[in-house]
Amino acid sequence: YSETSGTTNNDGTICNGASVTLTVTPSSGVDYSWSTGGTSDNISVSPSSTTSYSVTVTNPTTNCSASISASVTVNLLPNPTITFAETSGTTNNDGIICNGTSVTLTANPTTGMTYSWSAPISASGNNKVVSPSSTTAYDVTVTNSTTACSATTSSSVTVNPLPTPTISFTETSGTTNDDGITCSGDAVTLTANPTSGMTYSWAAPISATGNNKVVSPTSTTAYTVTVTNSTTNCFASVSASVTVNS
């Protein structure tokens, strides 16, 4: 045998998908008839399962012949997958997250294997925690520790952006309209932006929903709203203060 697959070179035990060259001796002065149809002293084969090969060697001068058989043992490749563990976005563990959150990647099977992740991870071990800021593909090569047979798989983490909320003011109090600087007791309308495709949760002292809120503070007050994308369930918070002049 001549091959570099599996744990030991040239032992006739290979991983599925690899090739091996079978060479019969004597290698000159005789004729060859392989079970594969080959007629030279060597054949190259890539069996997908353990297979026996035979060759008949004939002395053309005496017409005397003899046959021999040998088996190539084929070990299966791992069947790797990558699973996700995360609680971000609309559905847990689907690999679709919001920017700024983390996800645990687990290479399977989780026992009897070694693992080699490629960039951007470039590490070993079957569990990796990542926090990509944009949609990113991750590759891992899983190798059977016993047979040295390996296979690679790839999975992508999809990253949805966060909203970029702001609070605008509508008021006619004080020296300049809509600047959020009012006189004590005057009303100001707070509008959370963007104003469509979102849900809104205002913190105290409002503690309500909806993107528009009318307030009449008697002292300078900060207001905070959390804006959530209704489709991706990604959210972000913003604060703004109404300055109150006595």
Side-chain angles (χ1 to χ4, degrees), residues 152-214:
T152 300
T153 190
S154 179
S155 288
S156 290
V157 175
T158 300
V159 180
N160 286 317
L162 305 183
T164 53
T166 61
I167 297 173
S168 59
F169 307 107
T170 304
E171 44 80 14
T172 57
S173 180
T175 58
T176 305
N177 291 347
D178 306 327
D179 63 352
I181 302 174
T182 69
C183 298
S184 180
D186 287 350
V188 56
T189 299
L190 309 177
T191 301
N193 305 284
T195 58
S196 62
M198 305 287 164
T199 60
Y200 311 88
S201 177
W202 296 86
I206 297 179
S207 301
T209 59
N211 75 305
N212 281 283
K213 293 299 157 188
V214 178

Side-chain angles (χ1 to χ4, degrees), residues 23-37:
T23 301
V24 64
T25 54
S27 57
S28 62
V30 289
D31 298 327
Y32 311 92
S33 177
W34 291 87
S35 54
T36 61

Side-chain angles (χ1 to χ4, degrees), residues 79-90:
N79 185 26
T81 60
I82 297 173
T83 57
F84 307 106
E86 44 80 15
T87 57
S88 179
T90 58

